[in-house]
């Protein structure tokens, strides 16, 4: 594998430093014996400079090693994890500057404390292997952190969306399916076609496929109108923002780089911004928040007004609420459920609150009192007994038993895709505080009233294994983690009490 020049400099500097320490030499001693200046040797060890042939020979003689061994990119066992890191895609494909990290600073950190950083890198790699973390999962985790870092609001993409709307849908014109198809055909030379997943079952999981060599965008014939419009808008986003490095399937089959995942997100963000105009959504939300009472049907009508899917609407909410309303203590999650089964899969999550909420906890059972699950159980019941195929909306005030923190949770459940046989629930969760109450009038209930009109109240927790609500009828596992913690606390107190 060809390494960038700065990585080669760093590898040489790390190796030189390790050899010097193994020989028990100081920087000044090595400089004196090799005939080089102290500052120059220091620059080499920090990976800032790569010496010429004659200077490498001088260093090799001073260290009593042969020339080829010194210039070899093979590192000692102590530094192997750093070598693996530099040879991986991490430093070359992930734009560290997105996270406020200067790549040169990271390289200098590696040079300053290689043994400690090496141990840390090895630890991270072992954790990833232990949890079977794929490259794609790592990329998605990084993308989620990037979204959370920016409160999921990106003015540059919003500006691109505004520019598109001014040019192609002025005066509040609707961005329709016909408009998007026409743009793809006439402006970008892309022809939308449909494929039947029932005759090609291996493609059933895909909603769209772009074949750039034939300029064809294939759409799954089973898509709903809202799903189809979103995919068309997303493809326009790729073209309009000139995002070249991108996946050609949706959902993507394999991520080749973090840039692909990031560009895929940018195009999806763009699609949401042109389909759900920021100004219109802000006006509608302001009206909803100003009402004295909460009604689930009002929220469903709001989704229907924008002729979009619930998931697209929730995503757009997560971009508008922090930036336009100052409501940034929130998190979003999605659960999938197959009717008749007792398991629920957490398939998406995003935390702007950075506090409590469901996360991908391994080998534990999520609290069954969450509205995200009870709404799925309710949907399953009415599907079986009333032939219902619509959408449900429910709200809940949830108070965490261990912290007392309250959240307003708005959850929507509907069939995921008919051919999948699954249902899906999407939930937006808001930390209840003075700021939220000042924005949502219906939250200002009389003192001491636990239930707000149409919003029930429940005490919840994270997982059964960590929960102290011992009389919980929804419990599906013993509080093993909590009991172990209490046993340890008791042991620690007993040890401290010894004379």
């Amino acid at each position: 594998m060809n390494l960038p020049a700065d990585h080669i400099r760093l590898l040489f500097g790390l190796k030189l430093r390790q050899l010097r320490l193994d020989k028990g030499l100081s920087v000044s001693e090595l400089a004196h014996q090799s005939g080089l200046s102290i500052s120059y040797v220091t620059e080499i060890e920090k990976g800032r400079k790569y010496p010429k042939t004659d200077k490498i020979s001088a260093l090799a003689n001073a260290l009593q090693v042969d020339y080829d061994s010194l210039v070899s990119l093979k590192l000692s066992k102590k530094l192997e994890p750093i070598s693996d890191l530099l040879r991986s895609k991490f430093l070359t494909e992930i734009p560290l500057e997105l996270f406020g990290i200067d790549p040169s600073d990271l390289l200098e950190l590696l040079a300053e404390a290689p043994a400690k950083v090496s141990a840390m890198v090895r630890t991270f790699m072992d954790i990833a292997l232990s949890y079977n973390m794929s490259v794609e999962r790592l990329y998605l985790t990084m993308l989620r952190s990037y979204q959370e870092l920016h409160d999921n609001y990106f003015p540059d993409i919003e500006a691109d969306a505004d520019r598109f709307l001014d040019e192609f849908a002025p005066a509040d014109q609707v961005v329709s399916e016909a408009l998007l198809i026409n743009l793809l055909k006439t402006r970008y030379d892309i022809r939308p076609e449909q494929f039947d997943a029932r005759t090609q079952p291996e493609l059933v999981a895909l909603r769209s496929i772009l074949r750039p060599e034939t300029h064809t965008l294939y759409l799954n014939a089973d898509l709903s109108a809202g799903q189809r419009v979103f995919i068309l808008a997303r493809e326009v986003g790729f073209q309009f923002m000139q995002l070249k490095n991108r996946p050609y399937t949706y959902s993507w089959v394999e991520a080749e780089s973090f840039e692909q995942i990031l560009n895929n997100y940018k195009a999806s963000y763009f699609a949401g911004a042109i389909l759900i105009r920021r100004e219109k959504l802000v006006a509608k939300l302001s009206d909803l928040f100003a009402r004295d009472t909460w009604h689930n049907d009002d929220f469903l009508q709001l989704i229907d007004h924008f002729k979009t899917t619930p998931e697209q609407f929730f995503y757009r909410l997560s971009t508008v609420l922090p930036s336009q309303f100052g409501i940034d203590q929130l998190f979003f999650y999605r659960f999938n459920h197959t009717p008749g089964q007792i398991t629920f899969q957490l398939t998406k999550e995003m935390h702007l609150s950075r506090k409590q909420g469901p996360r991908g906890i391994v080998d534990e059972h999520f609290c069954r009192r969450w509205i995200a699950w009870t709404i799925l159980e309710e949907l399953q019941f009415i599907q079986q007994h009333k032939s219902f195929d619509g959408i449900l909306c429910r709200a809940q005030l949830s108070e965490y038993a261990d912290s007392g923190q309250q959240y307003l949770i708005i959850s929507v459940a509907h069939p995921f895709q008919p051919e999948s046989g699954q249902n899906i629930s999407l939930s937006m969760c808001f930390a209840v505080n003075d700021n939220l109450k000042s924005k949502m009038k219906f939250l200002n209930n009389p003192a001491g009233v636990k239930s707000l009109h149409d919003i029930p109240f429940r005490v919840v927790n994270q997982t059964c294994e960590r929960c102290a609500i011992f009389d919980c009828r929804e419990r599906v596992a013993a509080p093993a983690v909590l009991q172990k913690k209490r046993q340890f606390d008791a042991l620690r107190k007993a040890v401290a009490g010894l004379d």
Side-chain angles (χ1 to χ4, degrees):
M1 179 184 295
N2 294 326
L3 292 176
D6 55 348
H7 291 191
I8 294 175
R9 289 197 305 270
L10 179 64
L11 283 172
F12 184 87
L14 289 172
K15 191 167 190 177
L16 180 66
R17 185 178 187 275
Q18 191 62 51
L19 286 170
R20 174 178 62 78
L21 293 175
D22 291 344
K23 298 290 184 179
L25 298 174
S26 66
V27 174
S28 60
E29 288 172 334
L30 177 59
H32 175 73
Q33 294 181 23
S34 61
L36 306 177
S37 69
I38 295 175
S39 61
Y40 187 63
V41 173
T42 301
E43 291 290 286
I44 295 173
E45 289 193 354
K46 289 187 175 183
R48 294 173 182 167
K49 292 184 178 180
Y50 192 89
K52 294 182 179 180
T53 302
D54 58 331
K55 293 181 173 57
I56 295 176
S57 295
L59 289 168
N61 290 332
L63 292 168
Q64 298 179 347
V65 297
D66 60 87
Y67 181 96
D68 291 340
S69 175
L70 185 57
V71 298
S72 169
L73 296 181
K74 182 176 178 58
L75 296 179
S76 66
K77 184 177 181 181
K78 291 181 180 179
L79 302 179
E80 277 182 359
I82 291 179
S83 178
D84 293 341
L85 177 65
L86 293 175
R87 293 172 187 275
S88 72
K89 297 180 179 181
F90 184 80
L91 292 180
T92 56
E93 291 191 356
I94 295 176
L96 298 172
E97 59 274 6
L98 290 179
F99 300 90
I101 300 173
D102 187 330
S104 62
D105 291 340
L106 181 58
L107 293 177
E108 187 167 341
L109 173 64
L110 292 174
E112 288 291 341
K116 293 180 181 179
V117 176
S118 177
M120 180 186 70
V121 171
R122 174 62 71 186
T123 299
F124 288 155
M125 289 182 172
D126 287 345
I127 291 174
L129 289 173
S130 297
Y131 287 96
N132 194 27
M133 179 176 284
S134 64
V135 173
E136 288 84 0
R137 186 177 173 188
L138 174 63
Y139 287 157
L140 288 173
T141 301
M142 294 187 65
L143 174 62
R144 191 165 65 238
S145 297
Y146 177 61
Q147 293 172 259
E148 294 169 2
L149 182 66
H150 294 274
D151 285 335
N152 202 33
Y153 181 74
F154 298 91
D156 55 335
I157 308 179
E158 295 281 350
D160 283 334
D162 290 342
R163 187 162 53 88
F164 173 88
L165 292 170
D166 289 341
E167 183 176 356
F168 299 107
D172 291 339
Q173 293 181 27
V174 175
V175 178
S176 65
E177 182 174 351
L179 170 64
L180 295 168
I181 290 176
N182 182 60
L183 279 174
L184 287 172
K185 286 182 176 180
T186 61
R187 188 179 179 95
Y188 302 116
D189 190 27
I190 295 176
R191 185 181 70 260
E193 299 284 352
Q194 289 192 343
F195 69 88
D196 189 348
R198 284 168 291 190
T199 61
Q200 297 174 283
E202 62 275 6
L203 300 178
V204 70
L206 298 181
R207 296 188 180 187
S208 68
I209 305 165
L210 178 70
R211 296 296 300 273
E213 67 275 11
T214 62
H215 303 277
T216 307
L217 176 64
Y218 292 96
L219 302 173
N220 193 317
D222 290 327
L223 295 177
S224 67
Q227 292 170 333
R228 191 166 56 248
V229 169
F230 176 79
I231 291 172
L232 292 170
R234 175 177 166 273
E235 186 56 44
V236 168
F238 279 120
Q239 304 299 327
F240 187 81
M241 294 189 291
Q242 299 181 13
L243 302 174
K244 304 299 184 184
N245 190 0
R246 49 160 298 180
Y248 291 118
T249 61
Y250 180 71
S251 299
W252 46 266
V253 176
E254 183 179 18
E256 296 179 359
S257 67
F258 178 73
E259 185 182 6
Q260 279 193 358
I261 298 294
L262 182 61
N263 286 342
N264 185 68
Y265 167 74
K266 288 180 177 179
S268 298
Y269 187 113
F270 176 90
I274 66 173
L275 295 176
I276 305 177
R277 293 175 185 257
R278 184 175 60 254
E279 294 79 8
K280 283 191 173 184
L281 180 58
V282 168
K284 290 289 185 181
L285 288 174
S286 297
D287 175 67
L288 181 68
F289 294 165
R291 298 178 188 179
D292 292 324
T293 58
W294 168 267
H295 296 290
N296 295 319
D297 289 343
D298 292 346
F299 191 76
L300 290 179
Q301 289 172 10
L302 185 57
I303 297 175
D304 184 66
H305 172 81
F306 289 99
K307 304 302 179 185
T308 186
T309 67
E311 186 159 1
Q312 294 160 25
F313 185 78
F314 272 106
Y315 278 176
R316 189 60 175 144
L317 273 186
S318 72
T319 67
V320 168
L321 289 175
S323 62
Q324 306 299 313
F325 291 88
I327 300 175
D328 56 2
Q329 295 296 301
L330 56 86
F331 56 84
F332 163 89
Y333 53 89
R334 183 184 78 184
F335 278 100
N336 287 42
H337 174 241
T338 301
Q341 296 185 1
I342 62 172
T343 57
F344 300 79
Q345 295 83 41
L346 177 62
T347 52
K348 282 192 179 179
E349 56 179 317
M350 181 176 63
H351 299 252
L352 301 187
S353 66
R354 302 176 184 89
K355 292 183 179 179
Q356 283 179 294
R359 291 191 182 265
I361 300 175
V362 178
D363 298 330
E364 293 186 36
H365 298 79
F366 293 117
C367 178
R368 259 56 176 181
R369 294 184 173 194
W370 291 343
I371 189 66
W373 287 24
T374 58
I375 193 175
L376 284 170
E377 292 172 339
E378 181 181 356
L379 178 61
Q380 172 184 291
F381 179 84
I382 60 177
Q383 283 174 335
Q384 293 173 345
H385 295 84
K386 299 182 180 181
S387 300
F388 179 81
D389 62 356
I391 302 175
L392 290 182
C393 176
R394 297 290 183 264
Q396 179 176 295
L397 274 174
S398 298
E399 180 177 299
Y400 276 86
D402 52 0
S403 68
Q405 173 65 55
Q406 285 192 4
Y407 287 90
L408 167 66
I409 304 179
I410 301 171
S411 188
V412 170
H414 65 96
F416 182 35
Q417 285 181 306
E419 66 277 7
S420 72
Q422 286 192 321
N423 292 328
I424 179 176
S425 73
L426 305 148
S427 302
M428 186 72 75
C429 314
F430 308 90
V432 177
N433 49 35
D434 291 341
N435 178 57
L436 190 71
K437 290 180 180 179
S438 70
K439 305 292 170 56
M440 298 181 178
K441 187 177 179 182
F442 58 82
L443 284 179
N444 294 287
N445 61 313
V449 177
K450 284 289 188 180
S451 181
L452 291 176
H453 308 290
D454 213 21
I455 307 179
F457 171 88
R458 293 204 79 178
V459 176
V460 301
N461 220 319
Q462 291 191 18
T463 68
C464 293
E465 285 79 359
R466 300 168 188 268
C467 183
I469 309 175
F470 293 106
D471 60 346
C472 175
R473 287 186 290 182
E474 292 85 359
R475 178 183 292 281
V476 294
V481 174
L482 178 64
Q483 290 170 346
K484 185 176 293 185
K485 180 180 181 300
R486 289 182 173 178
Q487 290 172 357
F488 178 77
D489 290 342
L491 176 62
R492 185 171 55 186
K493 287 180 181 180
V495 170
L498 291 174
D499 292 333

